[in-house]
Amino acid sequence: MIEDLRKRNVHWAATKARIDPEYFRRLSAQQSPDYLWIGCSDARVPANEVVSLDPGELFVHRNVANLAPPQDANFLSVLQFAVEVLKVKHVIVCGHYGCGGVRAALSGKRHGLIDHWLAPIRCLYEDDVEHFDRILDFEARLNAVCEANVLAQVRAVAANPFVLDAWTRGQRLAIHGWIYSIKDGLIRDLGASVSGRKDAARLRGRTAALPKPASPRAAESADR
Ligand code: CO
C-alpha cells in the first residue's frame, strides 16, 4: 500500500515534468482515508497532490515544521480521530528539505511565539550539535536537521498513548518517516517505518545513527 503511494508520487512528478518541464524549477523558486498525513504548513507541500490522492483519501494535519507534539490538543485530536474513528492504516510524517521552520529554529534569532513552537527542533539540534556543525554547508546542515526532525516526530507518534493502545488492541497501524524535496517533487523514505512496539524500540536504538551523513561532503551532495 505504501509502495503504491511512492509509485504514484514518481508518476505524478514525471507527468508534471512532461507536461510542463519548468514546473518544479518554478515551484522551488517560490516558495474512509487509509492515511493520516502529518506535514508542514508550507504551501509548497500540498499533501494530496504530492501523493496523487483525491480529496477524501488522505486525512491531513499540517503545522509549522511538521511536529507531533505530545501536548498539542489540535494534533492529539487529529491523531485520536484518525486512529480510533477513521482507523487509518498508516500515519505518514512528511517533512521537507529547506523547511523554513527548521531554518528559523537554527537561526538563533528571535521570531516571537514561533520560537516556543520550534523549541523542540532547537533542542534536537543542540543535543547533537557536534555532529550537525561538522556539516559546514548551512543548507546541507539544515537538511540534515530536517531529516532528524522527521525521525524525532516518528518516534513521538510511535510513543503516543493513542498509537500504543491501538497496537495493544491488535489494530494494524504503521508510522512512516518521509521527506519531500520541493526541487524535484519526490519523496524519500527515511527507512524509519514502525508498525508495532518492537519496531518502536528498535527505532529508538537507531535514532542517533539514522540522520547522520557519512561526511560533510556526503551531506552536501544530499542537499537538493
Ligand atoms: Co516547512
Side-chain angles (χ1 to χ4, degrees), residues 73-173:
N74 180 3
F75 164 68
L76 292 174
S77 302
V78 168
L79 182 67
Q80 183 179 32
F81 186 74
V83 170
E84 297 184 1
V85 180
L86 299 174
K87 293 192 164 51
V88 297
K89 308 278 192 304
H90 301 276
V91 176
I92 299 155
V93 177
C94 188
H96 67 101
Y97 291 117
C99 181
V102 177
R103 189 184 297 275
L106 297 191
S107 73
K109 293 178 187 155
R110 283 279 161 266
H111 304 88
L113 180 60
I114 194 73
D115 297 326
H116 297 269
W117 176 256
L118 297 173
I121 299 176
R122 183 74 201 175
C123 290
L124 186 75
Y125 164 71
E126 286 179 352
D127 282 351
D128 215 356
V129 66
E130 284 184 15
H131 159 68
F132 288 120
D133 282 359
R134 278 202 299 271
I135 305 170
L136 299 179
D137 179 76
F138 178 79
E139 293 303 313
R141 189 188 315 148
L142 166 68
N143 288 340
V145 178
C146 289
E147 292 188 356
N149 179 44
V150 168
L151 296 174
Q153 305 318 312
V154 170
R155 289 197 299 280
V157 175
N160 189 284
F162 296 136
V163 170
L164 294 174
D165 288 352
W167 284 333
T168 300
R169 291 192 298 271
Q171 191 174 326
R172 191 178 134 214
L173 180 64

Side-chain angles (χ1 to χ4, degrees), residues 1-13 51:
M1 201 180 278
I2 278 294
E3 275 313 301
D4 184 49
L5 289 202
R6 301 283 316 283
K7 285 178 196 159
R8 282 167 177 266
N9 165 252
V10 170
H11 177 73
W12 172 81
V51 286

Side-chain angles (χ1 to χ4, degrees), residues 40-42 64-66 96 99-101:
C40 184
S41 300
D42 192 308
V64 174
N66 43 270
H96 67 101
C99 181

Side-chain angles (χ1 to χ4, degrees), residues 172-191:
R172 191 178 134 214
L173 180 64
I175 326 293
H176 310 273
W178 289 358
I179 193 149
Y180 176 83
S181 170
I182 289 165
K183 292 183 180 173
D184 63 12
L186 294 175
I187 288 165
R188 277 86 177 165
D189 187 338
L190 293 178

